[in-house]
Amino acid sequence: VQLVESGGGLVQAGGSLRLSCVVSGFTLDNYAIYWFRQAPGKEREGVSCISSVDASTHYEDSVKGRFTISSDYGKNTVYLEMNSLKPEDTAVYYCAAEGPILRSGCRYSAIMDFWGKGTLVTVTS
């Protein structure tokens, strides 16, 4: 099983990036895929998630309206489109998988079954 993130990089404030999380070893069905981030000196926080059980999505308040999570079942990939980036979005972004699950929705507090190694996003002012 692997979750491989890509798409991070250096961008100016107001810019955009699209992160990808390619999943291998299982299909997205009956899994919830999460994006977490960890900024230097800060605890890891949940950013967004998408559940295949009910197709629900969730966003942390600070990214609502700027970030969009989506999934491509054919490519077994989850994306995080990030627009209007701010310096405070600077962090290592990780994707994680919870499942297989039967319940709907996402729970950032749940124990994740698999993690990627992360991709660094740096937003300059």
Side-chain angles (χ1 to χ4, degrees), residues 36-122:
F36 290 85
R37 67 186 179 186
Q38 187 164 20
K42 295 187 177 181
E43 292 189 355
R44 187 170 59 202
E45 64 174 350
V47 175
S48 182
C49 66
I50 185 166
S51 170
S52 65
V53 175
D54 60 353
S56 62
T57 58
H58 181 271
Y59 300 92
E60 188 265 333
D61 286 346
S62 69
V63 307
K64 282 181 181 177
R66 300 188 297 122
F67 290 11
T68 302
I69 192 169
S70 62
S71 57
D72 184 331
Y73 283 80
K75 295 182 178 180
N76 225 35
T77 300
V78 173
Y79 302 98
L80 185 68
E81 184 77 34
M82 306 187 298
N83 299 313
S84 302
L85 283 162
K86 304 175 181 180
E88 50 263 44
D89 295 317
T90 294
V92 177
Y93 284 71
Y94 301 89
C95 67
E98 181 198 10
I101 55 174
L102 298 178
R103 58 155 175 78
S104 58
C106 303
R107 293 178 188 170
Y108 294 108
S109 60
I111 295 175
M112 298 295 118
D113 293 277
F114 307 106
W115 287 88
K117 293 184 178 181
T119 185
L120 176 63
V121 172
T122 304

